């Protein structure tokens, strides 16, 4: 059975489909699994359920922000749902849209306030963009591992303390047994 998990969920406006299809292929050629509605939704599927399930199972959400998508209700819904799930988002900015524009328009509330976005400078050659995305994923993974290591330290200390207690009880038990 095929896993529902995917590395990246691409959120975009239909009018950016040509770019998104090429970008998806570049990501997949780099070994990244990508969920894209046009590749995964059939006519009989319930659109919202299928999309939200895909976001649930994605490690990262990449909203493609362009002049065409600035007023997209679907893009906004997908981004806000990803935010509810605390998904890591890496917005792609097309058409010269600056990161600050997203904040000033307040189109997604404060969703992009603390997020580093990536600008696509050339819609036809985006190997640098794919590289930047992969670097961001690796940095995020490293950060998450470091957080887990910090979470594990108190558990390790507690386990070491417990092991010392067990060793002390064993020594006492050995002493009792050896006395008899």
């Amino acid at each position: 059975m095929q896993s529902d998990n995917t590395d990246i969920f691409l959120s975009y406006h239909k009018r950016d489909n040509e770019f998104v299809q090429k970008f998806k292929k570049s990501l997949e050629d780099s070994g990244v699994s990508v969920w894209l509605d046009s590749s995964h939704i059939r006519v009989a599927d319930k659109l919202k359920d299928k999309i939200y399930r895909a976001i649930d199972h994605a490690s990262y959400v990449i909203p493609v922000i362009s002049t065409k998508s600035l007023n997209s209700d679907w893009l906004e819904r997908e981004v806000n749902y990803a935010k509810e799930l605390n998904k890591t988002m890496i917005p792609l900015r097309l058409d010269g849209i600056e990161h600050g524009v997203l904040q000033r328009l307040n189109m997604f509330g404060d969703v992009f306030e603390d997020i580093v976005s990536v600008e696509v400078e050339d819609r036809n050659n985006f190997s640098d963009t794919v590289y930047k995305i992969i670097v961001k994923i690796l940095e995020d993974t490293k950060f998450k591992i470091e957080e887990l290591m910090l979470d594990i330290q108190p558990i390790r200390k507690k386990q070491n303390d417990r092991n010392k207690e067990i060793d002390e009880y064993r020594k006492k038990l050995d002493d009792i047994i050896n006395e008899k």
Side-chain angles (χ1 to χ4, degrees), residues 9 35 47-57 74 77-78 80-81 84-85:
F9 174 91
W35 194 97
L47 190 63
K48 184 178 175 184
D49 293 346
K50 189 86 171 186
I51 287 173
Y52 279 21
R53 180 181 167 104
I55 294 171
D56 290 340
H57 292 281
W74 267 108
R77 275 188 229 140
E78 292 166 1
N80 285 320
Y81 183 68
E84 286 176 28
L85 299 175

Side-chain angles (χ1 to χ4, degrees), residues 45-78:
D45 289 334
K46 290 183 178 178
L47 190 63
K48 184 178 175 184
D49 293 346
K50 189 86 171 186
I51 287 173
Y52 279 21
R53 180 181 167 104
I55 294 171
D56 290 340
H57 292 281
S59 299
Y60 300 89
V61 173
I62 298 183
V64 178
I65 310 297
S66 71
T67 54
K68 298 166 187 144
S69 69
L70 283 175
N71 295 314
S72 169
D73 291 336
W74 267 108
L75 184 79
E76 186 174 352
R77 275 188 229 140
E78 292 166 1

Side-chain angles (χ1 to χ4, degrees), residues 19 25 31-32 44 56 71-72 80 84 91 93 104 107-108 116 122 130 146 162 168 173 180:
F19 164 79
K25 183 173 178 352
V32 177
D56 290 340
N71 295 314
S72 169
N80 285 320
E84 286 176 28
R93 295 178 287 114
R104 284 193 302 277
M107 76 181 270
F108 300 113
V116 177
D122 183 350
V130 171
E146 289 170 352
R162 191 159 281 161
E168 288 175 16
L173 186 60
K180 292 184 177 187

Side-chain angles (χ1 to χ4, degrees), residues 102-113:
L102 302 176
Q103 294 166 330
R104 284 193 302 277
L105 288 175
N106 201 25
M107 76 181 270
F108 300 113
D110 64 349
V111 172
F112 294 130
E113 196 166 308

